[in-house]
């Protein structure tokens, strides 16, 4: 009975206007829904708020684009590079590859660019990789 009472109190507290939608909730590396101040984990990092930048959601679902992305990822992971380099975003749309994220060195950026160009073809890679300055 004691546990039932505590459960009912917990449920009641959840319905008592505990959601303040005017409060901005932030967590490092997350973004808020523009205009609401509410945390929206589907938005991604603040860098991803610019809708002109491609994100992994923009990846086409056709087999050729999926195969291109998978081939580039496999070759990158098979190399000796930083964890950041292994975790870059690779987005392929209609044969055009976009690389986004941070790498540790200029050498990693160049190597990833070379791999992507070998797989996708010269002129089909938009390298937006940045070197981590921290």
């Amino acid at each position: 009975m004691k546990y039932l009472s505590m459960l009912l109190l917990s449920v009641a507290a959840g319905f008592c206007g505990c959601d303040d939608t005017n409060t901005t909730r932030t967590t490092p590396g997350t973004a808020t829904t523009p205009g609401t101040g509410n945390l929206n984990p589907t938005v991604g990092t603040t860098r991803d708020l610019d809708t002109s930048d491609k994100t992994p959601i923009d990846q086409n679902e056709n087999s050729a684009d999926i195969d291109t992305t998978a081939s580039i990822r496999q070759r990158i992971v098979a190399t000796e590079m930083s964890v950041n380099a292994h975790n870059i975003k690779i987005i392929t749309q209609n044969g055009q590859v976009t690389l986004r994220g941070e790498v540790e060195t200029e050498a990693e950026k160049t190597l990833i660019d070379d791999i992507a160009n070998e797989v996708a073809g010269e002129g089909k890679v938009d390298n937006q990789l940045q070197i981590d300055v921290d």
Side-chain angles (χ1 to χ4, degrees), residues 9-10 14 26 28 36 40 42 44 46 48 72 83 85 94 101 110 112 130:
L9 284 174
S10 297
T26 57
T36 66
N40 183 350
T42 62
T46 53
D48 292 335
I72 294 169
V83 172
N94 303 317
T110 301
I112 291 170
Q130 299 175 353

Side-chain angles (χ1 to χ4, degrees), residues 8 14 19 34 39 41 46 50-51 57 67 73-74 87 92 102 106 108 114 118 121 125 130:
L8 290 174
D19 183 30
L39 182 63
T46 53
D50 184 356
T51 57
I57 288 180
D67 291 346
R73 172 78 59 210
Q74 287 171 347
N87 289 317
T92 308
E102 292 184 352
E106 184 68 38
E108 285 183 342
D114 291 344
E118 287 174 16
V125 177
Q130 299 175 353

Side-chain angles (χ1 to χ4, degrees), residues 4-81:
L4 180 59
S5 297
M6 292 188 66
L7 175 65
L8 290 174
L9 284 174
S10 297
V11 170
F15 291 110
C16 292
C18 297
D19 183 30
D20 181 4
T21 58
N22 293 323
T23 303
T24 300
R25 297 175 187 94
T26 57
T27 303
T30 61
T32 57
T33 303
T36 66
N38 289 332
L39 182 63
N40 183 350
T42 62
V43 173
T45 62
T46 53
R47 183 183 340 190
D48 292 335
L49 286 176
D50 184 356
T51 57
S52 66
D53 289 337
K54 289 185 176 33
T55 65
I57 288 180
D58 296 317
Q59 169 73 45
N60 280 353
E61 296 297 323
N62 64 57
S63 62
D65 286 345
I66 291 170
D67 291 346
T68 298
T69 298
S71 294
I72 294 169
R73 172 78 59 210
Q74 287 171 347
R75 291 192 52 192
I76 289 171
V77 171
T79 63
E80 286 287 325
M81 285 193 274

